[in-house]
């Protein structure tokens, strides 16, 4: 019996050792951020998650308070040279003109209808706002969702010839999944249209519509001829979810200060600042577009003009350094940009 | 060996039978709505949950789409004769007058400061709005939360001499828990202040702040003397989350049509209508205050005047019957009103 007991003990110890070996291997293999090169950016993300989610850690954050916010355009997917949503607006102009023929000879719709790319590229911010307001309103919220869904299924980015949702950045999808696996709720906080992004946020980023905060028009409750109620999108801005509008939108829609925030332009400055100003350990990160080969290099930091409204300026870079935000270099920190990259 | 096998089989069967017995007993004991009397209202809730959450059911709703919305005042807790939030506003007037002495001789603040109950009761809706706007703005969102938290800990309802959170309706707390146990996310959709309700929604109703939709003021992002960013509450309404503002607020903050909605007044009419107009099985319910002994009986349906802005009118009752909404009689459907009831 003694021999047997010894044998059993030996077997148990061997089993435990094997388990420990398997676990260590599993942990070593399960890099949550496989598309990231080792470096300050990757380390900052992993350290943040470990410090805020390990019980007993001085910087532990209760699960209910784990909120992370992400700008979309240029942070989660390609936004250069033109935002996807603006392409949607241009593509909707013919249907708009058909419904309202008086717009055919009215600028800026006339220029868009001409198809003259050079002239379209010269449209002012004010023109673009007018096009956006006209094409993003006048329909019920269900009609709008259906139109965006169809457009997303058909439209392709001119450079990669792929649907826009395939142009999500693989390393950022990994950050989203890693944070969620550690109890964080991930929100999009975009200057883009809330109703637009909500259509594809779940399938593209794993983020449900109720976790999308964005610019939003007023909607009006009314009734159709059969007396059925509907919500119609009005041509009137309710929330401008950019710049100071981002922390204001976060307070309105979430009601908690994020522990982590990710952006890529001056439009994200206040969100990153507000996040970092919270107590305890907070993570503010900026995506720098410095990879002219695999994606784009733009912004004054690269000595290149930026066609965007929001941009990554030298002043923003300086604030990042001064305030302890972490800059992500797409060129150095990311092994691959897209899921389809080799 | 054969005898042993038979014995083992017998033991297995006995075990299975015992398990089945325990399960049946557990199910019979686990009434999810123990404070509800059997009747049409309780049956409607249980039938709705079973039909929308049982896989294979014709009315099955995927977990991601399971949204239920609840008005607060008069639906989840006592709001008669005065809303708790209005009591908070009155209680804040002395501090406001101390900070702005010029208000001491200005109406309606002068009347509130007089302490003359009869005169206070005669203040107009416009006066009350002015008091609310003045007492709910001018501070940072953190300062406001701290003030509400302290008030909730100290203030007591004049009739029951208990903190307001104890005046939540026990049967409705059971509905919230029952829906959540079946994968529904429960939201408050209140005409009251979003920032006010968010302070105690988790502890009172198990509803986190990000699932509270309510009337909201504009907030402004700014910096203190040390350059630290803050959000200040402005005296300007951004969302009026009442009447048509409820479905509009639901679209803005959630982006999905609810499958179940609960209200008690004309301010909830459009939310119940919008919910019921969705495809598939939807549940719209109205709480009728008809228990003068255990709570209150009010509204024109009871032949009594209602001091509220929103009220349960005969027209609302008629629409409920016509539209297949279910009316909950507090007197007949609820075994107890409060957790502290015997």
């Amino acid at each position: 019996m003694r021999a047997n007991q010894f044998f059993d003990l030996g077997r148990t110890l061997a089993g435990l050792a094997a388990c420990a070996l398997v676990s260590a291997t599993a942990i070593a293999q399960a890099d949550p951020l496989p598309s990231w090169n080792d470096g300050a950016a990757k380390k900052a993300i992993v350290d943040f998650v470990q410090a805020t989610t390990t019980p007993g850690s001085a910087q532990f954050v209760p699960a209910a308070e784990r909120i992370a916010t992400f700008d979309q355009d240029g942070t989660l997917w390609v936004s250069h040279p033109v935002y996807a949503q603006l392409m949607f607006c241009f593509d909707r102009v013919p249907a708009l003109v058909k419904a309202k023929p008086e717009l055919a000879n009215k600028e800026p719709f006339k220029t868009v209808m001409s198809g003259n790319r050079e002239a379209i590229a010269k449209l002012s911010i004010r023109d673009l706002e007018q096009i956006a307001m006209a094409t993003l309103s006048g329909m019920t919220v269900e009609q709008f969702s259906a139109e965006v869904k169809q457009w997303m299924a058909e439209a392709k980015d001119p450079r990669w010839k792929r649907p826009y949702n395939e142009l999500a950045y693989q390393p950022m999808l990994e950050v989203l999944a890693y944070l969620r696996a550690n109890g964080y709720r991930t929100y999009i906080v975009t200057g883009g249209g809330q109703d637009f992004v909500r259509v594809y946020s779940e399938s593209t980023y794993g983020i449900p519509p109720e976790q999308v905060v964005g610019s939003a028009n007023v909607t009006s409750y009314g009734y159709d001829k059969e007396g059925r109620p509907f919500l119609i999108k009005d041509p009137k801005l309710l929330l401008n979810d950019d710049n100071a509008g981002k922390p204001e939108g976060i307070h309105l829609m979430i009601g908690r200060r994020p522990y982590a925030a990710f952006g890529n332009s001056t439009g994200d400055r206040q969100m990153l600042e507000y996040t970092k100003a919270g107590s305890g350990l907070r993570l503010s990160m900026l995506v720098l577009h410095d990879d002219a080969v695999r994606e784009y290099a733009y912004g004054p930091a690269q000595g290149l003009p930026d066609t965007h409204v929001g941009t990554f300026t030298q002043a923003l870079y300086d604030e990042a350094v001064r305030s302890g935000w972490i800059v992500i270099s797409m060129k150095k920190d990311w092994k691959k940009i897209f899921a389809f990259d080799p």
Side-chain angles (χ1 to χ4, degrees), chain A:
Chain A
M1 287 296 269
R2 280 198 167 187
N4 266 350
Q5 277 176 344
F6 183 78
F7 177 70
D8 284 349
L9 180 66
R11 217 163 40 175
T12 305
L13 287 173
L16 282 172
C19 284
L21 202 68
V22 168
S23 299
T25 313
I27 288 164
Q29 283 174 341
D31 177 355
L33 303 172
S35 300
W36 289 71
N37 288 314
D38 288 330
K42 180 175 182 173
K43 188 174 184 304
I45 298 166
V46 174
D47 287 354
F48 168 80
V49 169
Q50 289 181 350
T52 57
T53 64
T54 304
S57 157
Q59 283 121 353
F60 181 77
V61 176
E65 292 171 30
R66 291 181 200 159
I67 301 284
T69 56
F70 293 79
D71 168 59
Q72 181 195 228
D73 292 298
T75 299
L76 291 180
W77 76 356
V78 175
S79 65
H80 197 81
V82 179
Y83 293 124
Q85 190 179 351
L86 199 50
M87 296 299 287
F88 169 79
C89 293
F90 286 150
D91 289 348
R92 272 210 87 238
V93 168
L96 180 71
V97 168
K98 200 176 167 190
K100 297 183 178 178
E102 68 274 18
L103 294 179
N105 288 310
K106 224 179 136 185
E107 290 296 353
F109 305 99
K110 193 178 169 184
T111 295
V112 176
M113 290 299 286
S114 75
N116 181 337
R117 286 182 180 224
E118 213 169 308
I120 293 171
K122 281 183 189 156
L123 290 172
S124 68
I125 296 291
R126 198 168 185 153
D127 289 333
L128 299 180
E129 281 175 357
Q130 202 183 332
I131 292 164
M133 203 47 95
T135 52
L136 301 175
S137 67
M139 69 293 280
T140 69
V141 297
E142 286 86 2
Q143 284 165 349
F144 182 73
S145 290
E147 281 176 27
V148 176
K149 199 173 178 183
Q150 196 187 335
W151 184 85
M152 282 295 290
E154 293 169 359
K156 287 189 171 146
D157 173 89
R159 173 170 163 189
W160 283 279
K161 323 279 185 216
R162 287 174 180 270
Y164 287 95
N165 63 343
E166 292 185 22
L167 300 185
Y169 303 134
Q170 178 60 24
M172 294 306 287
L173 295 179
E174 291 169 6
V175 172
L176 288 168
Y178 178 43
L179 284 167
R180 287 195 290 261
N182 284 280
Y184 275 88
R185 269 156 300 146
T186 54
Y187 282 77
I188 290 173
V189 178
T190 175
Q194 184 168 279
D195 284 347
F196 183 83
V197 179
R198 278 175 169 175
V199 173
Y200 57 82
S201 60
E202 177 77 57
S203 58
T204 306
Y205 308 116
I207 294 176
E210 60 269 29
Q211 285 170 218
V212 175
V213 178
S215 294
N217 278 13
V218 170
T219 59
S220 288
Y221 189 76
Y223 302 89
D224 67 14
K225 283 178 220 156
E226 283 77 37
R228 285 177 304 224
F230 60 71
L231 284 170
I232 205 153
K233 287 170 71 70
D234 290 343
K236 192 184 165 193
L237 196 63
L238 178 68
L239 299 178
N240 184 4
D241 196 57
D242 213 5
N243 303 303
K246 290 209 174 192
E248 291 161 8
I250 288 168
H251 177 73
L252 177 72
M253 308 280 288
I254 312 175
R256 304 185 192 261
R257 193 193 296 248
Y259 273 82
F262 298 76
N264 80 305
S265 83
T266 52
D268 304 312
R269 195 177 72 75
Q270 289 88 340
M271 174 171 76
L272 298 173
E273 191 176 63
Y274 180 66
T275 299
K276 195 74 185 171
S279 60
L281 186 63
R282 310 268 171 161
L283 181 67
S284 287
M285 298 190 84
L286 268 171
V287 176
L288 180 70
H289 291 260
D290 58 356
D291 194 326
V293 177
R294 296 188 300 171
E295 203 237 16
Y296 295 104
Y298 56 82
Q302 286 71 49
L304 290 168
D306 186 351
T307 56
H308 288 79
V309 182
T311 184
F312 195 136
T313 61
Q314 190 60 46
L316 187 65
Y317 192 94
D318 295 345
E319 182 172 355
V321 172
R322 198 169 60 241
S323 308
W325 307 351
I326 313 286
V327 175
I328 299 165
S329 161
M330 292 179 75
K331 193 171 181 176
K332 293 176 206 146
D333 287 316
W334 290 359
K335 279 184 197 163
K336 53 158 75 179
I337 308 279
F338 306 112
F340 58 79
D341 277 346

